[in-house]
Amino acid sequence: MKEYLEKNEWSIIERGFDPKKHMISESIFSIGNGHMGQRANFEETYTGDTLQGSYMAGVYYPDKTRVGWWKNGYPESFAKVLNSTNWIGLSIIIDGEELDLNKVKVTEFVRELNMKEGYLQRTFSAELDNGKLLKVKSTRFVSIVDKEIGAIKYEITPINFSGELEVTSFLDGDVKNVDANYDEKFWNPIHHAVNENRATVTVQTKKLNYQFCSTMETQITQDGQMLNLAGTAKEKEKYAGVLYQIPITKEKTTTIYKYVANVTNRDHAEDQLQMVSANELEKAVSKGFDTLKEEQAAAWKAKWLNSDIVIEGDVAAQQGIRFNIFQLNQTYSGEDARLNIGPKGFTGEKYGGSTYWDTEAYCLPFYLATAEESISRNLLIYRYNHLEKAKENARKLGFEKGALYPMVTMNGEESHNEWEITFEEIHRNGAIAYAIYNYVNYTGDERYLGEYGIEVLVEIARFWEERVNYVAKKDAYMMLGVTGPNEYENNVHNNWYTNRIASWTMQYTQEVLEYLKKTDLELYQKWVNKLGLRDEEVDKWTDIIEKMYYPEDKELGVFLQQDGFLDKELIPVDQLDEKHLPLNQNWSWDRILRSCFIKQADVLQGLYFLNHEFDMETKKRNFDFYEPMTVHESSLSPCVHAILACELGYKEKAYEMYLRTARLDLDNYNNDTEDGCHTTSMAGTWMAVVEGFGGFKIANDELILRPFIPGQWKSFSFKVLFRGARLKVIVDQEKVTVKNETDISLTIVVYDKKVELQGNEAITIAN
Ligand code: BGC
């Protein structure tokens, strides 16, 4: 697709309105605050193609499962993020003609997502059928300060006429999800009311009884003067609005302010919802739009202070990485451990808004390095809180002990219903254990292990213990019938990555048990008792660790993705005619399964996670073997390849891999951005810059850097928070500068050399 967004360092800008690109833009220009999110739908009526999306984090619907062939063990429902009450709606009628960008002539259309200050703005001129010309400017945001507040400023200026404007400012809870298994609506009406300039609508999900209450106030000014208008109430089921009729004068601007408080019974008592939303609204209205917007800018400034990446000499790259960081910060803010990060964030319905292994495997490093500790800790607590459900899930599938976390979830229960993923993609359990290691390794918060971590680790280790089978003839433990991260192979035996991460989990669990025993015997004993942990179990893990079978080819010196991988016809992707790519759109599933082509990092995912366990030669042989056969048809894949390529000194490859996701959505690289953005893969892009080009990692309580700069860039810099300090790392073609922006001194390792970095000091090293 032709690039259509203007390159700009701090904004995403679309000039000219093209209805064919509107749904893509609706995704890209989405706004969110971790609590709620809103696609860039127009405030006014739009009868062209659109995907309406107002999402409230954690409010979901268990849509009854629909499958062709039922298999025992499938979940009864698929949890979906809900398209909720449309709170942005403004119907605009000028002298009897409705403003609808699908019907009027639109010129000078500019849409801007201001990432620096966190708002969406749109300006355009419209010529109505009756020849009337008007200019419109709308600005809106969801506040990252007052999480339940959304605010809109909508300005209309007639250019060649004076006449009458009819505005209906409304809340509409009669909305649908496009992705509904049985094409039903998910919301029931509860209450609606209009009181002068205020209106309120409460709706409730047909299952689970989530209540969503929106309350709005509309204010209208002309020439900066508030109009004292008596509106007309417009009410119907699940809908409340106020209609205003306003004389408008040529060249004079009428401004409509709409303030909305969206609250749910997830956060407040059900019988208080209307009162809470009215109170929140009151606070927002008394601050006023400009103050709310200033507070928004200040809060975003603080976010950027910790998380910005600056790339000099490449505006496209700069815009791409800032967009990714912006979307990640819009999606998850970490105060609420019941929430998580859906693969599309708040930008679409696809993937149900649910939690995948993406969180632990790809997103956690971003939040570890750019936000306070409690935020990544909450991502771990989320899984801790789902432990009982994960145990139930394992029982449901016939395991006597242990926990199997779901592949896709909202509330801890499995939501996914494709057997090869639901039942077989069990490697996800390993990522959840790995995240505990990653968190503790990064933060040094070892208390977490004794408070929560150990329980999760033991239950996952137990699952692996039961899932492997001992093959006496080979005196080895095997794991049969799995799907590895590479979903282009199903029901394989001994997926190297799964076997390795399983065995690693058991080993790490043993280490944590030893650590607890040594440091706090009482606590250790408490857990042994609570978990009913027996010595024989731990010994069994040792036996499995020692005798786990790992497919490998000694001659090639590579780990085999699974048994039989070498029996495939091994062809590099670059020998395929372009017309076959992407395979998932051009080949039958059967053909994909039989081929050697790899959807996403699999063996290499293991080399990334357990990087310290393998020498350079091993990493190099495996990278050289697998990279040419990898089609990267999951956007989660290139980042891992980029990081390894950096480590191996494959600079061009690293940059090529980085580019594949850096602007994935901005350039609609996969032709699917209209469904929503690839939010979790954005964290992968961040990893590619910081862990790849920056060579950033934490090992043995030390912060390690080994930066290299792509030839295409003049310089790049990133920020990381580490043990209370904030460092800014600036890399140009000659040198690396590390600035300590805090008072906390620390020792870091740059290109294998230890350097003492005092508080507020900067050091420079040639690269
Ligand atoms: C990938 C999975 C991922 C999911 C959600 C799939 O295409 O293969 O690894 O968890 O997308 O992002």
Side-chain angles (χ1 to χ4, degrees), residues 150 166 261 394 415 621 693:
E166 271 182 46
S415 246
R621 282 193 305 273
F693 302 147

Side-chain angles (χ1 to χ4, degrees), residues 410-425:
M410 278 285 188
N411 65 345
E413 286 166 26
E414 180 60 80
S415 246
H416 201 280
N417 54 34
E418 282 171 81
W419 64 268
E420 60 276 29
I421 292 175
T422 310
F423 305 142
E424 294 207 329
E425 218 177 318

Side-chain angles (χ1 to χ4, degrees), residues 343 351 356-358 407 425 485 487 599-600 634 636 680:
Y351 291 107
Y356 284 64
W357 76 306
D358 304 27
M407 187 63 186
E425 218 177 318
E487 292 175 342
K599 179 183 180 188
Q600 67 197 93
S634 162
L636 298 172
T680 48

